[in-house]
């Protein structure tokens, strides 16, 4: 290896190609920094949330579709759903003090769900399998293709009720946006009668 | 039959380890190879079989790079993928085959694959292929065999060559060389330019199948006789290769992929005669490899990445060849090597390894048994990651009759865990799955038996057969450390768990039924079994055949060559039903055919037209070989060419 310091100067004309980034203008689109606009269709709302940051949670109020920045998320009950890449937390259990619980409903028929189920309610729980990650109540929202490493929404939607009694039906519509960026989560939800 | 001692010593003196044979050697009438024993040996006398692709073969093939050249060779399997063109032999993986340039290792393996497409053939004098384990002489990674590219050396007092080729898909190749050879000094300079628009077997989507590229390469070498007993050879080469391709991710993102590869190799080889029967060859070499990779997502920047990978290799070696009496040719040597890699994909951003080795080999002409040579050899290698690895080998060559040669060898080989396998730390930004290296990996090992015979049935017919069996242990495979579960992506790592075997039969025939006609046929049967999964190893065709016909109509100044490869069905895995679970699939058999016709012009060169892959074999998923390519070329040389 002592030979290398003497060899390196000899490569000045070769192994010093320009940095590939120098000649490449990068794209810059609003969606890289911002969440897509809220779409309201009657009582049903749709929103694409940029949850691409590895270590930042994005907090969402299902009441009005607002993205929030709570000072203390664990003690804040204004949000119901938090998103970070493929992780979806609810404001309940170990994730927050909002008393949010969810109940899965098999199938993808959001419009056909008119009442909260009677059973199957759960919330975020402490890590049970020793991997350092909580057992999220919405942890089964996606199917994972181990061959292509593509995440796609599982064949289920969710009913979700907060501690104040407000309930919603929630569908995760997709994980990728039109540019193919992962963690651009498309959500669709609407109010449900209290359970 | 072994060479007489004076000639044998002459060959020893004239050539060092893994170096091109000198013209003086060739004038001795022997076709010389160095890879079998690390010492120049007449090919017919080598204790293990050496397949040779000569400069004449290279020119006649029309190939511009090593991938195209080896594709039609008997028993070799060139597999193309996004990693480039990978080489398999005897059913072994690409990272189990050692590729050398003038006996020196090359850098830049990606997922174990050294892209054969990046080696232009313009500076190659001959390619030597030794199948079966070569670790007893060459150490790590020579489990399945060794491919040694011997670069061209000056062989005329003054000469200049020019080669130009143009073809479909933006294919353009140009190379030029000048060389001079004197009593005490000789040298050569060579430069090449190669480019292609790549190809796309799935025009219905944005993704390309093979990247477009532009490549520049320069090389040079010089030799000096510094005294009656001392000579010095120096060589250097540099290459830059730019690639542009498009990939579509599983999530639908369209990604422009750009990369720039730079490579530099330098070497110095002094040789010293020690008395009348010994020669000491020293070597110092260094290599740099750098690859920048830029990914630019269309319509967004979330998946944009830039990575800068750099590898460095420094090697020192000493080898003593000594002829003892009439019956022994002893080779002893030592090597020390340091390799480092800097990559954002490695845990900590960098890795390094040191390696030292001692090797010994004796070519012993057994008294009392006519024509029998026994060649014991062994190498003991110490690697800073996993300690000592001994690799013994025993080879036997018996000239059973003047026309019949029998060779038997038994040996061991091993493959060192790569930096990626040891130190990788990768987290997929979208899916979140993690792949991590395992620093405690052991080397993969193999035990091999090769049994072959060559029979010169007549002056115009030559036949050979070889059977092989390789037992592979401690194979490194990727394993699931933690399966994906609700809300939790999978974690993958590497372990030494798998074992496998490969076995087969290689048959070859060569005939020259008329002075103007040269025919070559080969058939390879390869069986393999992954003993952990209880299924055949992926991608290995059970049946593979090659055929080659060369026509040389000297009166008309016209020559032609047809090369065909017939490859049987190959077992693969892939998710065919969309359930995320790999399914067994079978890639169909295919035939590849290349044609080339050449006409001599003005006595100073030739023009040629050719078609590669005339039958347009290939498909987007199971056989991503280049589609049909029509090209024409012109070669000029001054003074008039005396050979290929």
């Amino acid at each position: 290896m002592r030979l290398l310091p003497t060899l390196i100067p000899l490569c000045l004309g070769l192994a010093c190609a320009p940095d590939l980034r120098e000649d490449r203008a990068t794209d810059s689109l609003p969606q890289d920094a911002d969440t897509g606009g809220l779409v309201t269709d009657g009582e049903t709302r749709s929103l694409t949330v940029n949850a691409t940051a590895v270590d930042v949670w994005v907090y969402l109020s299902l009441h009005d579709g607002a993205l929030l920045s709570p000072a203390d998320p664990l003690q804040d009950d204004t949000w119901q759903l938090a998103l970070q890449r493929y992780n979806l937390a609810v404001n309940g259990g170990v994730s927050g003090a909002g008393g949010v619980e969810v109940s899965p409903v098999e199938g993808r028929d959001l419009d056909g769900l008119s009442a909260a189920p009677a059973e199957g309610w759960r919330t975020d729980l402490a890590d049970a399998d020793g991997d350092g990650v909580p057992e999220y109540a919405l942890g089964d929202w996606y199917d994972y293709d181990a061959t292509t490493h593509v995440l796609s929404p599982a064949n289920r939607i969710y009913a979700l009720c907060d501690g104040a009694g407000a309930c919603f039906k929630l569908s995760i519509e997709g994980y990728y946006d039109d540019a193919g960026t992962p963690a651009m989560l498309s959500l669709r939800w609407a109010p449900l009668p209290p359970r | 039959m072994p060479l007489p001692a004076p000639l044998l010593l002459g060959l020893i003196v004239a050539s060092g380890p893994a170096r091109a044979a000198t013209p003086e050697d060739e004038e001795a009438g022997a076709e010389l190879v160095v890879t079998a024993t690390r010492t120049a040996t007449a090919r017919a006398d080598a204790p293990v079989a050496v397949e040779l692709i000569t400069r004449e073969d290279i020119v006649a093939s029309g190939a511009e790079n090593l991938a195209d050249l080896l594709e039609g060779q008997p028993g070799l399997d060139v597999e193309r993928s996004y990693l480039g063109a990978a080489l398999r032999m005897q059913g072994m993986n690409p990272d189990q085959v050692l590729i050398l340039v003038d006996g020196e290792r090359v850098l830049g393996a990606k997922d174990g694959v050294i892209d054969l497409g990046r080696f232009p053939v313009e500076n190659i004098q001959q390619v030597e292929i030794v199948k079966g384990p070569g670790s007893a002489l060459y150490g790590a990674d020579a489990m399945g065999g060794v491919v040694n590219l011997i670069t061209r050396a000056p062989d005329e007092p003054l000469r200049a060559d020019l080669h130009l080729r143009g073809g479909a898909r933006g294919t353009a190749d140009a190379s030029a060389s000048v060389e001079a050879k004197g009593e005490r000094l000789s040298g050569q300079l060579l430069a090449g330019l190669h480019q292609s628009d790549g190809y796309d077997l799935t025009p219905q989507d944005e993704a390309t199948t093979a990247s477009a590229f532009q490549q520049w390469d320069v090389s040079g070498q010089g030799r000096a006789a510094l005294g009656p007993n001392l000579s010095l050879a120096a060589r250097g080469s540099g290459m830059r290769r730019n690639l542009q391709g498009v990939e579509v991710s599983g999530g639908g993102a369209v990604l422009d992929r750009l990369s720039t590869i730079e490579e530099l190799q330098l070497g110095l080889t002094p040789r010293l005669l020690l008395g009348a029967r010994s020669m000491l060859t020293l070597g110092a070499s260094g290599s740099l490899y750098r690859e920048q990779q830029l990914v630019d997502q269309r319509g967004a920047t979330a998946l944009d990445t830039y990575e800068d990978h750099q590898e460095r290799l420094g090697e020192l070696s000493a080898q003593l060849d000594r002829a003892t009496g009439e019956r022994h040719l002893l080779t002893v040597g030592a090597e020390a090597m340091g390799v480092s890699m800097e990559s954002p994909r490695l845990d900590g951003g960098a890795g390094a390894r040191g390696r030292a080795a001692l090797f010994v080999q004796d070519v012993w002409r057994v008294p009392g048994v006519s024509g029998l040579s026994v060649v014991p050899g062994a190498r003991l290698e110490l690697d800073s990651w996993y300690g000592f690895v001994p690799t013994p080998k025993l080879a036997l060559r018996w000239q059973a009759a003047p026309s019949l040669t029998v060779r038997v060898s038994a040996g061991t080989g091993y493959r060192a865990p790569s930096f990626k396998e040891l130190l990788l730390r990768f987290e997929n930004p979208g899916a979140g799955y993690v792949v991590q290296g395992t620093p405690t990996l052991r080397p993969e090992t193999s035990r091999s038996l090769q049994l072959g015979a060559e029979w010169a049935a007549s002056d115009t017919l030559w036949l050979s057969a070889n059977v092989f069996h390789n037992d592979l242990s401690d194979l490194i495979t990727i394993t699931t450390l933690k399966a994906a579960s609700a809300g939790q992506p999978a974690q993958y790592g590497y372990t030494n768990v798998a074992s496998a075997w490969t076995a087969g039969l290689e048959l070859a025939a060569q005939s020259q039924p008329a002075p103007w006609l040269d025919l070559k046929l080969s058939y390879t049967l390869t069986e393999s079994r992954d003993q952990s999964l209880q299924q055949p190893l992926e991608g290995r065709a059970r049946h593979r055949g090659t055929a080659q016909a060369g026509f040389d109509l000297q009166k008309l100044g016209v020559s032609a060559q047809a090369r065909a490869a017939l490859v049987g069905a190959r077992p693969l895995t892939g998710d065919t039903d969309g359930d995320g679970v790999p399914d067994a699939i079978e890639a169909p058999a295919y035939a590849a055919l290349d044609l080339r016709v050449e006409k001599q012009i003005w006595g100073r060169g030739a023009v040629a037209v050719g078609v590669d892959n005339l039958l347009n074999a290939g498909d987007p998923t199971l056989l991503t070989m280049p589609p049909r390519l029509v090209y024409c070329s012109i070669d000029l040389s001054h003074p008039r060419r005396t050979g290929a």
Side-chain angles (χ1 to χ4, degrees):
Chain A
M1 294 303 291
R2 292 180 184 278
L3 184 65
L4 289 172
T6 58
L7 293 179
I8 290 170
L10 296 176
C11 80
L12 287 176
L14 177 82
C16 302
D19 189 313
L20 274 179
R21 293 168 292 191
E22 291 177 3
D23 297 329
R24 191 75 179 179
T26 54
D27 306 304
S28 179
L29 294 179
Q31 67 192 43
D32 288 334
D34 302 325
T35 293
L38 180 69
V39 175
T40 302
D41 179 12
E43 289 192 314
T44 303
R45 290 188 165 100
S46 300
L47 183 66
T48 297
V49 178
N50 182 344
T52 56
V54 173
D55 52 2
V56 175
W57 286 91
V58 180
Y59 297 92
L60 174 66
S61 168
L62 296 179
H63 290 280
D64 57 7
L67 297 181
L68 308 172
S69 301
D72 184 1
L74 285 174
Q75 301 301 323
D76 192 308
D77 63 0
T78 60
W79 63 275
Q80 287 76 47
L81 193 62
L83 309 94
Q84 183 202 62
R85 295 201 291 172
Y86 44 83
N87 291 316
L88 268 61
V90 297
N91 193 348
V94 297
S95 298
V100 174
E101 292 183 320
V102 299
S103 177
V105 178
E106 295 304 306
R108 303 278 318 155
D109 184 11
L110 188 74
D111 296 334
L113 181 63
S114 57
E119 298 178 339
W121 293 91
R122 64 200 191 196
T123 191
D124 289 357
L125 302 174
D127 176 26
D129 55 12
D131 62 2
V133 179
E135 309 305 320
Y136 294 116
L138 292 172
D140 59 356
W141 74 263
Y142 64 84
D143 289 331
Y144 178 61
D145 186 326
T147 304
T148 61
H149 303 298
V150 169
L151 278 65
S152 54
N155 185 36
R156 65 178 62 89
I157 58 176
Y158 298 91
L160 181 151
C161 294
D162 65 16
C167 293
F168 302 89
K169 50 185 178 179
L170 170 68
S171 169
I172 296 101
E173 302 278 295
Y175 187 62
Y176 305 91
D177 68 3
D178 291 342
T181 303
M184 296 294 288
L185 282 148
S186 300
L187 307 177
R188 191 163 165 258
W189 74 94
L192 275 182
R195 56 174 162 156
Chain B
M1 145 174 208
L3 292 174
L7 178 55
L8 184 62
L9 185 62
L11 297 181
I12 294 171
V13 169
S15 300
R19 295 294 308 153
T22 66
E24 288 78 7
D25 302 331
E26 292 166 0
E27 285 164 10
E31 195 173 47
L32 297 174
V33 294
V34 294
T35 311
T37 60
R38 292 185 68 127
T39 302
T41 306
R43 181 188 174 204
D45 295 339
V48 294
V50 180
E51 293 172 28
L52 187 63
I53 306 173
T54 65
R55 182 70 200 161
E56 188 176 9
D57 296 332
I58 293 170
V59 172
S61 74
E64 292 287 339
N65 60 61
L66 192 59
D68 294 341
L69 179 66
L70 297 185
E71 214 151 31
Q73 290 300 310
L76 301 187
D77 181 11
V78 176
E79 183 182 61
R80 295 176 192 263
S81 72
Y82 68 99
L83 298 170
L87 178 64
R88 283 203 182 103
M89 64 170 75
Q90 295 201 341
M92 309 280 250
N93 282 330
D95 56 3
Q96 295 165 336
V97 177
L98 181 62
I99 295 176
L100 305 171
V101 176
D102 286 331
E104 291 162 10
R105 290 169 179 269
V106 293
L107 299 172
K110 285 195 290 187
D111 280 348
V113 169
I114 289 176
D115 180 11
L116 303 177
R118 81 174 208 240
F119 298 96
V121 298
E122 66 230 18
N123 67 338
I124 299 176
Q125 178 64 34
Q126 63 187 37
V127 180
E128 299 181 14
I129 301 159
V130 177
K131 295 172 180 170
S135 293
L137 284 175
Y138 296 100
D141 311 327
M143 289 173 77
V146 179
V147 175
N148 195 0
L149 314 181
I150 308 299
T151 58
R152 290 168 65 184
D155 61 359
E156 293 187 29
L158 187 63
R159 174 173 164 157
D161 288 301
L162 176 68
H163 168 73
L164 300 170
R165 186 182 84 146
R169 301 194 299 275
T171 301
D173 303 275
S175 62
S177 67
V178 292
E179 64 183 54
K181 184 182 177 188
E183 289 275 321
R184 300 173 64 85
L185 292 173
S186 63
Q188 182 187 54
L189 285 173
L190 191 148
L193 167 65
H194 306 271
Q195 72 171 45
S196 165
D197 292 342
Y199 54 92
D200 185 2
L201 299 177
T202 55
Q204 66 274 18
D205 66 18
E206 296 277 1
T208 55
T209 305
S211 297
F213 70 87
Q214 304 86 38
Q215 177 170 331
W216 302 264
D217 52 83
V218 294
S219 63
Q221 63 172 272
R223 298 181 180 207
L226 301 179
N229 295 325
L230 179 63
S231 66
L232 183 66
R235 62 202 174 278
S237 64
M239 181 272 282
R240 183 182 294 177
R241 182 176 171 92
N242 295 330
L243 297 109
Q244 306 92 31
V246 182
E247 178 188 351
V248 177
S249 74
V254 180
L255 308 170
D256 287 304
R257 285 191 171 274
L258 309 176
S259 61
T260 294
I261 297 170
E262 297 156 277
E263 189 174 17
L264 176 74
Q265 291 181 302
L266 297 171
L268 198 63
T269 307
R271 292 191 185 88
L272 180 64
L273 284 176
L274 303 173
R277 303 182 68 83
S278 300
M279 185 177 72
L280 177 66
T281 304
L282 305 175
S285 62
S287 304
L288 299 173
Y289 180 90
R290 181 188 183 203
E291 181 166 358
Q292 299 178 72
Q293 297 176 342
L294 185 143
V295 175
D296 185 6
Q297 183 184 7
R298 292 186 187 173
T301 61
L303 298 181
D304 289 0
T305 59
Y306 170 80
E307 295 181 350
D308 189 348
H309 307 262
Q310 297 188 31
E311 297 176 53
R312 299 176 176 86
L313 166 67
E315 190 166 10
L316 297 172
S317 65
Q319 177 175 322
L320 177 69
D321 298 296
R322 179 171 177 78
T324 304
E326 295 297 317
R327 300 197 173 277
H328 290 274
L329 172 58
L330 183 67
T331 299
V332 295
E335 288 179 343
M337 183 182 82
V339 188
S340 68
M341 174 187 279
E342 294 172 26
S343 170
R345 295 203 173 196
L346 297 185
D347 197 6
R353 78 177 349 137
R355 193 180 285 162
L358 297 172
F359 59 90
V360 60
Q361 174 186 266
D362 184 33
V363 180
W364 174 40
R365 292 176 60 198
V366 179
V369 183
S370 177
L372 180 64
S373 296
V374 176
V375 186
R379 181 176 172 117
L380 183 62
E381 199 152 271
L382 172 64
D383 187 284
S384 57
W385 280 87
Y386 46 77
F388 286 99
V389 180
T391 46
K393 183 174 183 178
L394 182 65
L396 179 151
R397 178 188 176 281
W398 181 37
Q399 192 77 50
S403 61
L404 180 63
T405 306
V406 177
R407 292 183 174 91
V408 182
S409 67
T412 56
Y414 88 97
R415 181 180 79 83
S418 67
F419 282 125
K420 177 186 169 186
E421 292 164 333
L422 293 167
L423 294 171
L424 180 70
R425 174 67 196 179
F426 173 75
E427 181 173 357
N428 181 290
Y433 69 89
V434 172
V435 190
Q436 60 192 49
T438 306
T440 54
L441 285 174
R442 302 181 305 276
E444 297 180 343
T445 59
S446 69
R447 292 177 301 168
S448 170
L449 181 64
Q450 314 270 329
L451 171 61
E454 294 175 7
W455 179 37
S458 70
D459 290 342
T460 59
L461 180 62
W462 177 89
L463 303 168
S464 77
N466 185 56
V467 293
F468 61 89
H469 189 280
N470 299 298
D471 267 315
L472 314 177
S473 304
D474 281 338
L475 295 182
I476 297 169
T477 59
I478 199 159
T479 185
T480 303
L481 301 177
K482 185 174 185 300
S485 58
Q488 285 306 301
Q491 293 182 19
Y492 303 99
Y494 297 91
T495 58
N496 291 96
V497 291
S499 61
W501 56 260
T502 72
L505 167 68
E506 297 165 323
L507 301 173
Q510 184 172 349
S511 176
Q512 192 170 20
W516 50 271
L517 181 60
D518 187 38
L519 300 172
K520 294 177 182 175
L521 290 170
S522 82
Y523 167 76
T524 304
L525 170 69
T526 304
E527 299 279 7
S528 66
R529 193 78 178 165
D530 183 322
Q531 292 173 297
S532 304
L533 300 175
Q534 287 301 311
Q535 63 186 31
L537 293 171
E538 270 196 55
R540 281 74 166 168
R542 190 176 187 210
H543 305 286
R544 180 182 176 84
T546 63
Q548 181 176 311
F551 307 86
D552 189 3
L553 306 175
Q554 290 188 351
K555 286 185 179 177
L556 300 175
V558 174
S559 59
Q561 187 179 78
R563 296 199 306 169
L566 304 168
V567 182
R570 294 163 293 141
L572 295 170
T573 57
D575 183 12
T576 57
D577 51 13
D579 65 354
V581 179
D583 306 296
I585 53 180
E586 189 174 81
Y590 68 94
L593 176 62
D594 299 343
L595 299 176
R596 184 174 185 274
V597 180
E598 180 183 284
K599 172 79 171 72
Q600 301 293 321
I601 53 169
W602 312 315
R604 293 192 180 278
V607 293
V609 294
V611 187
D612 287 347
N613 193 10
L614 178 66
L615 305 178
N616 217 22
D619 71 65
T621 54
L622 303 178
L623 184 65
T624 55
M625 65 187 297
R628 182 186 303 124
L629 173 72
V630 180
Y631 65 87
C632 58
S633 67
I634 182 168
D635 288 85
L636 297 172
S637 60
H638 179 81
R640 177 180 177 160
R641 288 203 297 186
T642 55

